[in-house]
Amino acid sequence: DEQASLAAVTAGLHVALYLNQDGKVILIHGESETEPPATEVTGMVLSTTLDEDGVMERLTVWVDDEVRIYAVSPEVQITVDGAEAPASDVVPGLTVRATLVDDEVVAIAIGEEAAEETEVTGMVLSTTLNEDGRMERLTLWVDDEARIHAVSPEVEITLDGDDAAASDVVPGLTVRATLVDDEVVAIAIGEEAPEETEVTGMVPPCHQASWPPSPSGTTTRPRPSPRPTRWR
């Protein structure tokens, strides 16, 4: 905690007041704004910039088919398979997961590839919503079995391409769910998988037309071949 002036006590700030026996405020303890949320990107290292002490200052990665250059925090944490590693281990060609706060890299995990997306199409059996109406669980009937999936807080739900609510995902609907690390990140309602069908039947006999056609423009049926001569 740092000492501040009364000018720092602004509207909307959460504070705790400490009073003396006379009811006068003797201490104001304020909580600063919450830290900005962290974001993560995964890509291939193109280059790094180190200072003379070997501290990384810039990280250039290939992400989503484009080059991105990020400033790196002096306190950046670099790990390889969970163990601490020096900045010199971050070499071009490696796949890294970078954690950013205010567009500054605060952590680099080497060798952790992006999670693959998978899609499943099935019938909704049930959903679990919290008190805010956000979906937390999705149970689908897929490949003759019930599957229960956790749902991302940022799940995207669409109905025929338009945004929809979690309450629109009701039992009996066919949906296509997109999963990352077994967590549902997108739900498309009403997009069914193409079905395969088979038919079995007898092909009717076909009559071969003569060629060339007769002068009248019509075709004639071929004459039957003569019976073979039986020799005695």
Side-chain angles (χ1 to χ4, degrees):
D1 294 346
E2 297 180 359
Q3 189 173 356
S5 65
L6 285 175
V9 183
T10 57
L13 185 68
H14 293 278
V15 297
L17 302 180
Y18 296 86
L19 311 177
N20 62 12
Q21 294 179 350
D22 297 329
K24 295 183 179 180
V25 177
I26 59 174
L27 177 64
I28 301 176
H29 180 75
E31 295 291 339
S32 61
E33 297 182 357
T34 58
E35 295 183 357
T39 59
E40 291 184 348
V41 296
T42 300
M44 184 182 69
V45 177
L46 296 179
S47 66
T48 60
T49 302
L50 308 183
D51 64 13
E52 58 184 7
D53 297 323
V55 177
M56 188 183 303
E57 297 179 331
R58 290 286 184 277
L59 172 67
T60 304
V61 290
W62 180 257
V63 180
D64 295 335
D65 296 327
E66 66 178 10
V67 177
R68 298 186 186 180
I69 303 174
Y70 297 106
V72 179
S73 168
E75 292 80 29
V76 63
Q77 296 181 349
I78 303 173
T79 58
V80 177
D81 296 329
E84 291 186 5
S88 57
D89 284 351
V90 184
V91 295
L94 287 179
T95 297
V96 299
R97 188 184 69 219
T99 303
L100 300 98
V101 174
D102 286 338
D103 290 329
E104 185 180 60
V105 177
V106 297
I108 301 173
I110 302 173
E112 301 193 19
E113 299 183 0
E116 294 183 359
E117 288 189 359
T118 58
E119 290 185 350
V120 294
T121 300
M123 183 181 70
V124 178
L125 296 180
S126 67
T127 60
T128 302
L129 308 183
N130 64 12
E131 57 185 9
D132 298 325
R134 183 180 66 81
M135 189 183 303
E136 296 180 335
R137 291 287 185 276
L138 173 65
T139 304
L140 297 177
W141 184 256
V142 180
D143 295 336
D144 296 328
E145 66 178 7
R147 299 184 185 179
I148 303 175
H149 299 286
V151 179
S152 168
E154 291 80 27
V155 63
E156 295 183 1
I157 303 174
T158 57
L159 174 60
D160 296 329
D162 297 324
D163 290 340
S167 57
D168 291 332
V169 184
V170 296
L173 288 179
T174 297
V175 300
R176 188 184 69 225
T178 303
L179 300 97
V180 174
D181 286 338
D182 291 329
E183 185 180 58
V184 177
V185 297
I187 301 173
I189 303 173
E191 301 193 20
E192 300 184 5
E195 296 183 358
E196 291 185 358
T197 57
E198 294 182 355
V199 294
T200 303
M202 182 180 69
V203 178
C206 299
H207 299 290
Q208 182 178 1
S210 63
W211 188 265
S214 61
S216 62
T218 61
T219 58
T220 59
R221 296 178 61 181
R223 296 179 179 179
S225 58
R227 297 180 178 178
T229 303
R230 181 176 297 176
W231 298 91
R232 294 183 179 180

